[in-house]
Short mmCIF file of all heavy atoms in Angstrom, two decimals:
data_model
loop_
_atom_site.label_atom_id
_atom_site.label_comp_id
_atom_site.label_asym_id
_atom_site.label_seq_id
_atom_site.Cartn_x
_atom_site.Cartn_y
_atom_site.Cartn_z
N ASP G 1060 88.35 223.16 -74.67
CA ASP G 1060 87.21 222.73 -75.49
C ASP G 1060 85.91 223.30 -74.95
O ASP G 1060 85.05 223.77 -75.72
CB ASP G 1060 87.13 221.20 -75.53
CG ASP G 1060 88.16 220.59 -76.47
OD1 ASP G 1060 88.60 221.29 -77.40
OD2 ASP G 1060 88.52 219.42 -76.26
N LEU G 1061 85.73 223.25 -73.65
CA LEU G 1061 84.51 223.76 -73.04
C LEU G 1061 84.44 225.28 -73.13
O LEU G 1061 83.36 225.86 -73.32
CB LEU G 1061 84.42 223.30 -71.58
CG LEU G 1061 84.18 221.79 -71.42
CD1 LEU G 1061 84.37 221.36 -69.97
CD2 LEU G 1061 82.78 221.41 -71.90
N MET G 1062 85.59 225.94 -73.02
CA MET G 1062 85.62 227.39 -73.23
C MET G 1062 85.17 227.71 -74.65
O MET G 1062 84.43 228.67 -74.88
CB MET G 1062 87.04 227.93 -73.00
CG MET G 1062 87.46 227.98 -71.54
SD MET G 1062 89.25 228.31 -71.36
CE MET G 1062 89.40 229.88 -72.20
N ALA G 1063 85.62 226.90 -75.61
CA ALA G 1063 85.28 227.13 -77.01
C ALA G 1063 83.78 227.00 -77.25
O ALA G 1063 83.23 227.60 -78.17
CB ALA G 1063 86.03 226.14 -77.91
N GLN G 1064 83.11 226.22 -76.40
CA GLN G 1064 81.67 226.06 -76.52
C GLN G 1064 80.90 227.17 -75.81
O GLN G 1064 79.67 227.18 -75.82
CB GLN G 1064 81.26 224.70 -75.94
CG GLN G 1064 81.84 223.52 -76.68
CD GLN G 1064 81.53 222.20 -76.01
OE1 GLN G 1064 80.40 221.96 -75.59
NE2 GLN G 1064 82.54 221.34 -75.90
N GLY G 1065 81.64 228.10 -75.20
CA GLY G 1065 81.01 229.24 -74.57
C GLY G 1065 80.62 229.04 -73.12
O GLY G 1065 79.88 229.85 -72.55
N HIS G 1066 81.13 227.97 -72.47
CA HIS G 1066 80.76 227.70 -71.09
C HIS G 1066 81.48 228.63 -70.12
O HIS G 1066 82.64 228.99 -70.32
CB HIS G 1066 81.09 226.25 -70.72
CG HIS G 1066 80.24 225.25 -71.42
ND1 HIS G 1066 78.87 225.20 -71.28
CD2 HIS G 1066 80.55 224.24 -72.29
CE1 HIS G 1066 78.38 224.22 -72.01
NE2 HIS G 1066 79.38 223.63 -72.65
N SER G 1067 80.81 228.99 -69.04
CA SER G 1067 81.41 229.77 -67.97
C SER G 1067 82.27 228.86 -67.11
O SER G 1067 82.23 227.64 -67.23
CB SER G 1067 80.31 230.40 -67.10
OG SER G 1067 79.58 229.37 -66.44
N ASN G 1068 83.04 229.47 -66.20
CA ASN G 1068 83.85 228.67 -65.28
C ASN G 1068 82.99 227.75 -64.44
O ASN G 1068 83.36 226.60 -64.18
CB ASN G 1068 84.67 229.59 -64.37
CG ASN G 1068 85.83 230.25 -65.09
OD1 ASN G 1068 85.88 230.26 -66.32
ND2 ASN G 1068 86.77 230.79 -64.34
N THR G 1069 81.83 228.23 -64.02
CA THR G 1069 80.93 227.41 -63.21
C THR G 1069 80.46 226.18 -64.00
O THR G 1069 80.45 225.06 -63.49
CB THR G 1069 79.71 228.23 -62.77
OG1 THR G 1069 80.15 229.35 -62.00
CG2 THR G 1069 78.76 227.39 -61.93
N ALA G 1070 80.08 226.41 -65.26
CA ALA G 1070 79.62 225.30 -66.10
C ALA G 1070 80.74 224.31 -66.39
O ALA G 1070 80.52 223.10 -66.43
CB ALA G 1070 79.03 225.84 -67.40
N ILE G 1071 81.95 224.81 -66.59
CA ILE G 1071 83.10 223.94 -66.85
C ILE G 1071 83.38 223.08 -65.62
O ILE G 1071 83.62 221.87 -65.72
CB ILE G 1071 84.34 224.76 -67.23
CG1 ILE G 1071 84.13 225.47 -68.57
CG2 ILE G 1071 85.58 223.87 -67.30
CD1 ILE G 1071 85.23 226.44 -68.93
N ALA G 1072 83.34 223.70 -64.44
CA ALA G 1072 83.57 222.96 -63.20
C ALA G 1072 82.55 221.85 -63.04
O ALA G 1072 82.88 220.72 -62.65
CB ALA G 1072 83.52 223.92 -62.01
N ARG G 1073 81.29 222.15 -63.35
CA ARG G 1073 80.23 221.15 -63.23
C ARG G 1073 80.45 220.01 -64.23
O ARG G 1073 80.29 218.83 -63.89
CB ARG G 1073 78.87 221.81 -63.47
CG ARG G 1073 77.68 220.91 -63.19
CD ARG G 1073 76.36 221.63 -63.45
NE ARG G 1073 76.26 222.84 -62.64
CZ ARG G 1073 76.20 224.06 -63.15
NH1 ARG G 1073 76.25 224.24 -64.46
NH2 ARG G 1073 76.09 225.11 -62.36
N ALA G 1074 80.84 220.36 -65.46
CA ALA G 1074 81.01 219.34 -66.49
C ALA G 1074 82.18 218.40 -66.18
O ALA G 1074 82.13 217.20 -66.48
CB ALA G 1074 81.23 220.00 -67.85
N LEU G 1075 83.23 218.94 -65.56
CA LEU G 1075 84.42 218.14 -65.28
C LEU G 1075 84.48 217.63 -63.84
O LEU G 1075 85.45 216.96 -63.46
CB LEU G 1075 85.68 218.98 -65.57
CG LEU G 1075 85.86 219.46 -67.01
CD1 LEU G 1075 87.13 220.28 -67.15
CD2 LEU G 1075 85.87 218.29 -67.98
N SER G 1076 83.45 217.99 -63.06
CA SER G 1076 83.38 217.56 -61.65
C SER G 1076 84.61 218.00 -60.86
O SER G 1076 85.22 217.22 -60.12
CB SER G 1076 83.22 216.02 -61.57
OG SER G 1076 82.03 215.61 -62.21
N VAL G 1077 84.98 219.26 -61.04
CA VAL G 1077 86.09 219.85 -60.29
C VAL G 1077 85.61 221.17 -59.71
O VAL G 1077 84.52 221.65 -60.02
CB VAL G 1077 87.33 220.07 -61.17
CG1 VAL G 1077 87.85 218.74 -61.73
CG2 VAL G 1077 87.01 221.03 -62.32
N SER G 1078 86.44 221.78 -58.88
CA SER G 1078 86.08 223.06 -58.29
C SER G 1078 86.30 224.21 -59.28
O SER G 1078 87.07 224.08 -60.23
CB SER G 1078 86.90 223.31 -57.03
OG SER G 1078 88.27 223.52 -57.37
N GLU G 1079 85.62 225.32 -59.03
CA GLU G 1079 85.83 226.49 -59.87
C GLU G 1079 87.26 227.02 -59.73
O GLU G 1079 87.82 227.56 -60.68
CB GLU G 1079 84.82 227.58 -59.52
CG GLU G 1079 83.40 227.27 -59.97
CD GLU G 1079 82.47 228.45 -59.81
OE1 GLU G 1079 82.84 229.57 -60.24
OE2 GLU G 1079 81.39 228.27 -59.24
N ALA G 1080 87.82 226.85 -58.55
CA ALA G 1080 89.21 227.27 -58.35
C ALA G 1080 90.15 226.47 -59.24
O ALA G 1080 91.11 227.01 -59.81
CB ALA G 1080 89.61 227.10 -56.88
N ALA G 1081 89.86 225.17 -59.38
CA ALA G 1081 90.68 224.33 -60.25
C ALA G 1081 90.54 224.76 -61.70
O ALA G 1081 91.52 224.80 -62.46
CB ALA G 1081 90.30 222.86 -60.09
N VAL G 1082 89.32 225.10 -62.10
CA VAL G 1082 89.08 225.56 -63.47
C VAL G 1082 89.86 226.85 -63.72
O VAL G 1082 90.51 227.01 -64.76
CB VAL G 1082 87.58 225.78 -63.73
CG1 VAL G 1082 87.36 226.47 -65.07
CG2 VAL G 1082 86.84 224.45 -63.70
N ALA G 1083 89.78 227.79 -62.77
CA ALA G 1083 90.49 229.06 -62.92
C ALA G 1083 91.99 228.83 -63.05
O ALA G 1083 92.68 229.49 -63.85
CB ALA G 1083 90.20 229.96 -61.73
N LYS G 1084 92.52 227.85 -62.30
CA LYS G 1084 93.95 227.54 -62.38
C LYS G 1084 94.30 226.98 -63.75
O LYS G 1084 95.32 227.37 -64.36
CB LYS G 1084 94.33 226.54 -61.30
CG LYS G 1084 95.81 226.19 -61.30
CD LYS G 1084 96.16 225.23 -60.16
CE LYS G 1084 97.65 224.88 -60.18
NZ LYS G 1084 98.01 223.94 -59.09
N HIS G 1085 93.46 226.07 -64.26
CA HIS G 1085 93.72 225.50 -65.59
C HIS G 1085 93.69 226.59 -66.67
O HIS G 1085 94.54 226.61 -67.57
CB HIS G 1085 92.68 224.43 -65.92
CG HIS G 1085 92.83 223.17 -65.13
ND1 HIS G 1085 94.03 222.53 -64.98
CD2 HIS G 1085 91.92 222.42 -64.46
CE1 HIS G 1085 93.88 221.44 -64.24
NE2 HIS G 1085 92.60 221.35 -63.91
N ILE G 1086 92.72 227.49 -66.57
CA ILE G 1086 92.61 228.57 -67.56
C ILE G 1086 93.84 229.48 -67.48
O ILE G 1086 94.38 229.90 -68.50
CB ILE G 1086 91.32 229.37 -67.35
CG1 ILE G 1086 90.10 228.50 -67.69
CG2 ILE G 1086 91.31 230.64 -68.20
CD1 ILE G 1086 88.77 229.15 -67.40
N GLY G 1087 94.30 229.75 -66.27
CA GLY G 1087 95.52 230.54 -66.11
C GLY G 1087 96.71 229.85 -66.75
O GLY G 1087 97.55 230.51 -67.38
N ASN G 1088 96.78 228.53 -66.60
CA ASN G 1088 97.86 227.77 -67.23
C ASN G 1088 97.79 227.86 -68.75
O ASN G 1088 98.82 227.98 -69.43
CB ASN G 1088 97.82 226.31 -66.79
CG ASN G 1088 98.20 226.13 -65.34
OD1 ASN G 1088 98.84 226.98 -64.74
ND2 ASN G 1088 97.79 225.01 -64.76
N VAL G 1089 96.57 227.78 -69.28
CA VAL G 1089 96.38 227.88 -70.73
C VAL G 1089 96.87 229.24 -71.22
O VAL G 1089 97.61 229.33 -72.21
CB VAL G 1089 94.90 227.67 -71.11
CG1 VAL G 1089 94.66 228.03 -72.57
CG2 VAL G 1089 94.48 226.22 -70.85
N PHE G 1090 96.45 230.31 -70.53
CA PHE G 1090 96.88 231.65 -70.93
C PHE G 1090 98.41 231.76 -70.90
O PHE G 1090 99.01 232.33 -71.81
CB PHE G 1090 96.28 232.70 -69.99
CG PHE G 1090 94.79 232.86 -70.10
CD1 PHE G 1090 94.08 233.45 -69.07
CD2 PHE G 1090 94.11 232.45 -71.22
CE1 PHE G 1090 92.71 233.62 -69.16
CE2 PHE G 1090 92.73 232.61 -71.33
CZ PHE G 1090 92.04 233.19 -70.29
N GLY G 1091 99.01 231.20 -69.87
CA GLY G 1091 100.46 231.28 -69.75
C GLY G 1091 101.18 230.50 -70.83
O GLY G 1091 102.14 231.00 -71.44
N LYS G 1092 100.74 229.27 -71.11
CA LYS G 1092 101.40 228.44 -72.11
C LYS G 1092 101.22 228.97 -73.52
O LYS G 1092 102.05 228.70 -74.40
CB LYS G 1092 100.88 227.01 -72.00
CG LYS G 1092 101.30 226.29 -70.73
CD LYS G 1092 100.74 224.88 -70.66
CE LYS G 1092 101.18 224.18 -69.38
NZ LYS G 1092 100.65 222.79 -69.29
N LEU G 1093 100.13 229.71 -73.74
CA LEU G 1093 99.89 230.27 -75.07
C LEU G 1093 100.35 231.73 -75.16
O LEU G 1093 100.05 232.41 -76.14
CB LEU G 1093 98.41 230.16 -75.43
CG LEU G 1093 97.86 228.73 -75.49
CD1 LEU G 1093 96.40 228.74 -75.91
CD2 LEU G 1093 98.69 227.86 -76.43
N ASP G 1094 101.08 232.18 -74.14
CA ASP G 1094 101.66 233.53 -74.15
C ASP G 1094 100.60 234.61 -74.35
O ASP G 1094 100.69 235.46 -75.24
CB ASP G 1094 102.73 233.66 -75.26
CG ASP G 1094 103.86 232.66 -75.07
OD1 ASP G 1094 104.28 232.46 -73.91
OD2 ASP G 1094 104.31 232.07 -76.07
N LEU G 1095 99.57 234.57 -73.50
CA LEU G 1095 98.49 235.55 -73.58
C LEU G 1095 98.43 236.37 -72.29
O LEU G 1095 97.61 236.12 -71.41
CB LEU G 1095 97.15 234.83 -73.81
CG LEU G 1095 97.01 234.06 -75.12
CD1 LEU G 1095 95.71 233.28 -75.13
CD2 LEU G 1095 97.08 235.01 -76.30
N PRO G 1096 99.30 237.36 -72.16
CA PRO G 1096 99.28 238.19 -70.95
C PRO G 1096 98.08 239.12 -70.94
O PRO G 1096 97.43 239.33 -71.98
CB PRO G 1096 100.59 238.99 -71.08
CG PRO G 1096 100.79 239.10 -72.56
CD PRO G 1096 100.31 237.80 -73.13
N VAL G 1097 97.77 239.65 -69.79
CA VAL G 1097 96.68 240.63 -69.69
C VAL G 1097 97.02 241.85 -70.52
O VAL G 1097 98.13 242.37 -70.44
CB VAL G 1097 96.45 241.04 -68.22
CG1 VAL G 1097 95.38 242.12 -68.13
CG2 VAL G 1097 96.05 239.82 -67.39
N ALA G 1098 96.09 242.28 -71.35
CA ALA G 1098 96.31 243.45 -72.20
C ALA G 1098 94.98 244.14 -72.43
O ALA G 1098 93.93 243.49 -72.44
CB ALA G 1098 96.93 243.04 -73.54
N PRO G 1099 94.99 245.47 -72.59
CA PRO G 1099 93.74 246.19 -72.83
C PRO G 1099 93.14 245.81 -74.18
O PRO G 1099 93.84 245.47 -75.13
CB PRO G 1099 94.17 247.67 -72.81
CG PRO G 1099 95.62 247.64 -73.17
CD PRO G 1099 96.15 246.37 -72.56
N ARG G 1100 91.82 245.81 -74.24
CA ARG G 1100 91.06 245.60 -75.48
C ARG G 1100 91.28 244.21 -76.07
O ARG G 1100 91.22 244.02 -77.28
CB ARG G 1100 91.40 246.67 -76.52
CG ARG G 1100 91.10 248.08 -76.07
CD ARG G 1100 91.44 249.07 -77.16
NE ARG G 1100 90.56 248.92 -78.31
CZ ARG G 1100 90.68 249.62 -79.45
NH1 ARG G 1100 91.67 250.49 -79.56
NH2 ARG G 1100 89.85 249.43 -80.45
N THR G 1101 91.53 243.22 -75.22
CA THR G 1101 91.61 241.85 -75.71
C THR G 1101 90.76 240.96 -74.83
O THR G 1101 90.49 241.28 -73.67
CB THR G 1101 93.05 241.31 -75.71
OG1 THR G 1101 93.56 241.31 -74.37
CG2 THR G 1101 93.94 242.14 -76.61
N HIS G 1102 90.31 239.85 -75.38
CA HIS G 1102 89.50 238.88 -74.66
C HIS G 1102 90.29 237.57 -74.67
O HIS G 1102 90.29 236.84 -75.64
CB HIS G 1102 88.15 238.70 -75.35
CG HIS G 1102 87.13 237.98 -74.50
ND1 HIS G 1102 87.43 236.85 -73.77
CD2 HIS G 1102 85.84 238.25 -74.27
CE1 HIS G 1102 86.35 236.44 -73.14
NE2 HIS G 1102 85.37 237.29 -73.42
#
Side-chain angles (χ1 to χ4, degrees):
D1060 283 335
L1061 291 169
M1062 287 169 59
Q1064 297 174 45
H1066 292 299
S1067 66
N1068 286 16
T1069 301
I1071 294 172
R1073 188 180 303 116
L1075 298 180
S1076 299
V1077 299
S1078 68
E1079 288 189 49
V1082 171
K1084 181 178 179 180
H1085 289 312
I1086 292 175
N1088 290 340
V1089 169
F1090 292 161
K1092 291 179 180 180
L1093 299 183
D1094 301 319
L1095 296 174
V1097 176
R1100 300 181 67 184
T1101 61
H1102 194 316

